[in-house]
């Protein structure tokens, strides 16, 4: 499965590789340092991560210690007392280049790697997720992974407003 969408920065590509991998690429009109900041600074991350099309859902808590060995915890809610948490640890962080983390909220969590490649002042972002089973990938394709293209569009909008 490969899906391509054009955007202001360039084409966005969503590609399933085999039974366990999902790769999303997108080019942004911002340098890697700016795109990295949007992924690693909680105040910026909160501004783009929740898809706007999912009405009523908000990021009620965003704890991110983006460094090798650090942890994160994102809590989503719909206005009531029920929240859903996503959490894990950062296995490798190379500022402006790469973030690698675990998704530990369930037994079927993926390992995610996001890289920021300099393209002459623009950034080619690669998001690569490896799932432990075909079923976990299928579930993600119906849920969180399905939202990634919209999230990256929102990131693109944020990047154009924050500059370097």
């Amino acid at each position: 499965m490969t899906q391509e969408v054009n955007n202001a920065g360039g084409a966005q590509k969503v590609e399933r590789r085999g039974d366990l991998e999902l790769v999303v690429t997108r080019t942004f009109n911002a340098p890697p340092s700016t795109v990295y900041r949007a992924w690693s600074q909680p105040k910026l991350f909160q501004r783009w991560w929740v898809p706007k099309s999912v009405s009523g859902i908000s990021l009620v808590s965003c704890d991110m210690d983006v460094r090798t060995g650090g942890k994160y915890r994102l809590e989503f809610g719909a206005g009531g007392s029920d929240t859903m948490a996503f959490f894990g640890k950062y296995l490798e962080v190379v500022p402006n280049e790469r973030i690698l983390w675990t998704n530990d909220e369930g037994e079927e969590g993926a390992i995610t790697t996001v890289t920021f490649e300099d393209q002459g002042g623009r950034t080619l972002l690669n998001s690569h997720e490896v799932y432990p089973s075909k079923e976990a990938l299928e579930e993600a394709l119906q849920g969180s992974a399905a939202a990634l293209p919209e999230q990256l569009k929102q990131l693109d909008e944020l990047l154009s407003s924050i500059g370097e």
Side-chain angles (χ1 to χ4, degrees), residues 102-134:
T102 64
N103 297 275
D104 295 339
E105 57 276 349
E107 293 178 13
E108 296 288 308
I111 302 291
T112 304
T113 305
V114 174
T115 59
F116 312 92
E117 185 181 320
D118 187 12
Q119 302 272 301
R122 297 171 66 191
T123 302
L124 175 62
L125 180 126
N126 285 288
S127 173
H128 182 246
E129 294 183 313
V130 178
Y131 291 86
S133 70
K134 180 179 181 178

Side-chain angles (χ1 to χ4, degrees), residues 23-125:
V23 178
V24 178
T25 58
R26 182 170 177 141
T27 302
F28 294 96
N29 286 321
S33 59
T34 303
V35 181
Y36 172 81
R37 279 187 339 172
W39 279 84
S40 62
Q41 293 180 3
K43 290 209 182 300
L44 292 175
F45 187 84
Q46 291 177 66
R47 291 174 55 189
W48 67 271
W49 187 252
V50 177
K52 292 176 184 168
S53 68
V54 182
S55 65
I57 301 290
S58 64
L59 189 54
V60 296
S61 171
C62 180
D63 298 314
M64 299 168 60
D65 180 12
V66 185
R67 63 179 174 82
T68 301
K71 295 183 178 185
Y72 73 92
R73 182 177 179 85
L74 309 173
E75 262 186 82
F76 296 87
S81 61
D82 290 338
T83 61
M84 183 169 52
F86 293 89
F87 53 90
K89 57 190 165 293
Y90 295 102
L91 301 176
E92 181 184 7
V93 176
V94 179
N96 306 324
E97 293 180 21
R98 176 183 174 101
I99 304 173
L100 170 67
W101 68 89
T102 64
N103 297 275
D104 295 339
E105 57 276 349
E107 293 178 13
E108 296 288 308
I111 302 291
T112 304
T113 305
V114 174
T115 59
F116 312 92
E117 185 181 320
D118 187 12
Q119 302 272 301
R122 297 171 66 191
T123 302
L124 175 62
L125 180 126

Side-chain angles (χ1 to χ4, degrees), residues 146-158:
L148 194 54
E150 182 179 355
Q151 290 168 300
L152 294 180
K153 179 179 183 282
Q154 292 172 183
L155 172 57
D156 194 38
E157 293 165 0
L158 173 69

